[in-house]
């Protein structure tokens, strides 16, 4: 049974509400020390450390850390027609949605000859992490690569753990997705060490350092991203997945149960949270869970997640309170299934992605909605956002002033520089305007 948190009778102050939100016991901070050892080992010992870590944690030491081009081509050729069609359609939809995320340049004219140009420059080189573990994630290849390509990134390195079931090779479906997207720089490595390799480079296998690391992973991957941040950019410290569903008694209990289950099967630490105004509806959802878990082969894993401290049913007095609870939680995935979805949506300000209505399950966003499924977890949606084309772009301001425009503001610059006791700043202007 999922734990229940009863917030009827008035929500507590925000600090207390944050404390009450269900979260996994183990977080990124617990993995930092171990991740640092792995990152440092790769920084010091390169490919030898990567092979040792692959043998210890993944599917065995790969014959080639960099995947040969022929292996990628063979993976593409080996796709079934059904899977090829599904991947092609996912790529098409994510490309279309990502193209809308590229900001337009602009010019602000402040006076005659005084202009500030806003432009968006793509990263030179990025490293994209695709997890292995308990499932196969070709969709994560699509979600990472497509927005980078749309942004105009010229150099892309993709890493994914070697798989024991595939003889120490990257899963062929991962390779096939990379091949469909024209990515030929793929490395068989995973975990914290792979993040370190992307950040610092491994010359002996031709891996140059990247400028940005993106992609989901476990707590050790997230911890490694925390460690290398500053040396490179990162998208976020994405940890175990989570879903929060806001629903009232107008919703379909079977739909909500299915959606809570779908996220719980990712990992034993995955979080599934229902926030509802109706205790009877909460009972109906919980009653619908057992018969649905029995149908799938991941029942033990997902039941562990549903029974864990990171999952809960939260009872509230109103849908406005439900929105406030959701905003405090900051879910990676938020579903709204109520009698007035738009009114609830208007109150939402913190969510990685929002799925509105009974026909918009999170599973749609995982694969074919066109939205990106690389999203902030662990409450980071309160201050962060999901992966997009803009993640791979740097805003730059380009300033152009004529001599006349500079002369017009020169007295103001000198006045401010004098007040700040930085006379050379003013002199750099008067050097030009006094000639």
């Amino acid at each position: 049974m999922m734990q229940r948190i009863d917030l009827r009778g008035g929500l507590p102050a925000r600090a207390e509400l944050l404390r009450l939100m269900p979260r996994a016991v183990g977080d990124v901070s617990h993995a930092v020390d171990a991740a640092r050892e792995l990152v440092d080992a790769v920084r010091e010992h390169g490919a030898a450390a990567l092979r040792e870590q692959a043998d210890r944690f993944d599917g065995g030491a790969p014959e080639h850390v960099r995947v040969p081009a022929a292996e990628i081509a063979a993976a593409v050729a080996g796709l079934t027609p059904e899977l090829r069609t599904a991947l092609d359609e996912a790529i098409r939809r994510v490309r279309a949605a990502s193209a809308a995320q590229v900001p337009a340049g602009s010019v602000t004219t402040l006076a005659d000859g005084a202009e500030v140009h806003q432009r968006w420059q793509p990263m030179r080189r990025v490293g994209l992490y695709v997890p292995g573990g308990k499932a196969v994630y070709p969709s994560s290849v699509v979600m990472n690569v497509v927005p980078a390509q749309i942004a105009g990134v010229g150099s892309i390195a993709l890493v994914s753990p070697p798989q024991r079931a595939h003889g120490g090779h990257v899963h062929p479906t991962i390779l096939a997705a990379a091949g469909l997207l024209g990515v030929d720089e793929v490395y068989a490595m995973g975990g914290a060490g792979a993040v370190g390799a992307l950040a610092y480079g491994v010359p002996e296998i031709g891996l140059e350092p990247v400028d940005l690391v993106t992609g989901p992973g476990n707590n050790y991957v997230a911890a490694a991203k925390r460690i290398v941040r500053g040396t490179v950019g990162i998208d976020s410290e994405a940890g175990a997945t989570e879903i929060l569903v806001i629903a009232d008694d107008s919703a379909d209990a079977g739909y909500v149960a299915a959606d809570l289950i779908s996220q719980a099967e990712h990992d034993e630490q995955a979080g599934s949270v229902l926030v509802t105004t109706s205790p009877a509806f909460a009972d109906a959802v919980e009653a619908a869970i057992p018969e649905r878990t029995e149908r799938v082969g991941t029942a033990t894993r997902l039941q562990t997640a549903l029974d864990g401290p990171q999952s809960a049913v939260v009872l509230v007095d109103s849908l406005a309170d439900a929105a406030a609870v959701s905003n405090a939680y900051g879910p990676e995935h938020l579903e709204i299934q109520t009698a007035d979805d738009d009114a609830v949506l208007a109150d939402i300000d913190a969510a990685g992605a929002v799925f509105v209505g009974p026909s918009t399950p999170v599973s749609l966003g995982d694969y074919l909605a066109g939205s990106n499924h690389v999203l902030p977890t662990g409450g980071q949606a309160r201050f962060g956002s999901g992966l997009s084309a803009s993640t791979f772009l740097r805003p730059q301001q380009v300033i152009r002033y004529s001599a006349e425009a500079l002369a017009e503001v020169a007295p103001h610059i000198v006045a401010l520089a004098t007040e700040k006791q930085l006379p050379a700043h003013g002199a750099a202007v008067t050097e030009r305007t006094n000639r």
Side-chain angles (χ1 to χ4, degrees):
M1 294 290 289
M2 297 170 68
Q3 65 170 313
R4 291 211 177 184
I5 301 173
D6 194 339
L7 298 180
R8 291 172 296 178
L11 297 183
R14 186 171 176 80
E16 177 65 8
L17 187 55
L18 288 169
R19 188 188 68 79
L20 291 171
M21 289 297 97
R23 296 290 183 198
V25 173
D27 62 13
V28 173
S29 62
H30 292 87
V32 167
D33 289 343
R36 191 181 305 280
E37 289 184 13
L38 298 170
V39 169
D40 288 346
V42 170
R43 189 177 186 183
E44 294 171 14
H45 303 294
L50 288 170
R51 290 191 175 92
E52 186 275 328
Q53 290 173 22
D55 202 39
R56 185 157 41 127
F57 300 118
D58 298 315
E63 180 182 359
H64 304 286
V65 178
R66 178 161 180 172
V67 178
E71 191 174 332
I72 298 173
V76 174
L79 284 172
T80 64
E82 296 80 8
L83 188 52
R84 172 76 183 254
T85 299
L87 284 170
D88 283 341
E89 182 62 13
I91 290 167
R92 185 188 72 80
R93 289 174 178 244
V94 176
R95 274 185 178 147
S98 297
Q101 298 164 348
V102 178
S106 63
V107 179
T108 303
T109 301
L110 299 160
D112 287 344
E115 295 178 349
V116 176
H117 298 243
Q118 180 69 60
R119 69 176 188 174
W120 299 81
Q121 292 293 101
M123 302 281 183
R124 181 192 62 85
R125 177 168 165 78
V126 300
L128 311 180
Y129 189 95
V130 176
K134 300 178 177 67
V136 184
Y137 296 102
S139 53
S140 287
V141 179
V142 176
M143 300 296 175
N144 275 275
V145 172
V146 169
Q149 291 177 333
I150 291 294
V153 175
S155 179
I156 295 174
L158 189 145
V159 303
S160 190
Q163 302 292 304
R164 198 170 305 281
H166 295 277
H169 294 262
V170 173
H171 195 287
T173 310
I174 300 295
L175 295 180
L180 289 175
L181 288 161
V183 176
D184 59 6
E185 188 181 350
V186 182
Y187 298 89
M189 56 187 182
V195 174
L198 290 171
Y200 298 111
V202 184
E204 64 193 280
I205 58 172
L207 175 56
E208 295 182 358
V210 303
D211 301 314
L212 176 74
V213 177
T214 75
N218 60 22
N219 281 343
Y220 294 96
V221 171
K225 289 165 82 173
R226 177 180 294 183
I227 290 163
V228 302
R229 186 175 191 172
T231 299
V232 295
I234 66 169
D235 54 345
S236 66
E237 297 177 7
T241 191
E242 62 204 22
I243 181 176
L244 185 147
V245 182
I246 295 176
D248 58 18
D249 55 12
S250 70
D252 186 301
Y255 288 178
V256 172
D259 295 347
L260 294 173
I261 290 168
S262 72
Q263 290 306 110
E265 79 170 342
H266 274 283
D267 187 89
E268 288 85 353
Q269 288 196 323
S272 294
V273 180
L274 168 63
V275 183
T276 182
T277 54
S278 170
F281 180 77
D283 292 340
V285 170
E286 289 210 285
I289 287 176
E291 63 180 282
R292 286 164 174 78
T293 60
E294 292 168 2
R295 303 174 189 170
V296 296
T298 52
T300 301
R301 182 196 312 159
L302 67 86
Q303 195 61 58
T304 299
L306 291 173
D307 292 342
Q310 72 275 18
S311 299
V313 173
V314 182
L315 300 175
V316 293
D317 288 323
S318 66
L319 290 177
D321 283 354
V325 168
S326 179
N327 288 334
Y329 182 80
E332 177 190 18
H333 307 97
L334 168 63
E335 287 188 359
I336 303 174
Q337 299 183 41
T338 67
D340 194 348
D341 294 337
D342 287 338
V344 176
L345 179 62
D347 286 336
I348 297 299
D349 58 43
V354 185
F355 299 80
V356 181
S359 298
T360 318
V362 165
S363 297
L364 174 66
D366 283 345
Y367 303 111
L368 275 163
S371 57
N372 202 295
H373 79 197
V374 182
L375 301 166
T377 62
Q380 293 180 84
R382 291 183 286 113
F383 50 82
S385 59
L387 198 69
S388 70
S390 61
T391 304
F392 301 94
L393 295 166
R394 296 158 295 173
Q396 293 178 343
Q397 295 184 20
V398 180
I399 301 93
R400 295 180 184 273
Y401 268 59
S402 66
E404 292 77 14
L406 178 61
E408 184 178 346
V409 296
H412 305 312
I413 296 172
V414 170
L416 290 169
T418 300
E419 176 63 23
K420 293 174 67 175
Q421 299 182 39
L422 296 171
H425 282 63
V429 172
T430 56
E431 176 81 15
R432 292 165 167 80
T433 57
N434 288 345
R435 289 190 179 184

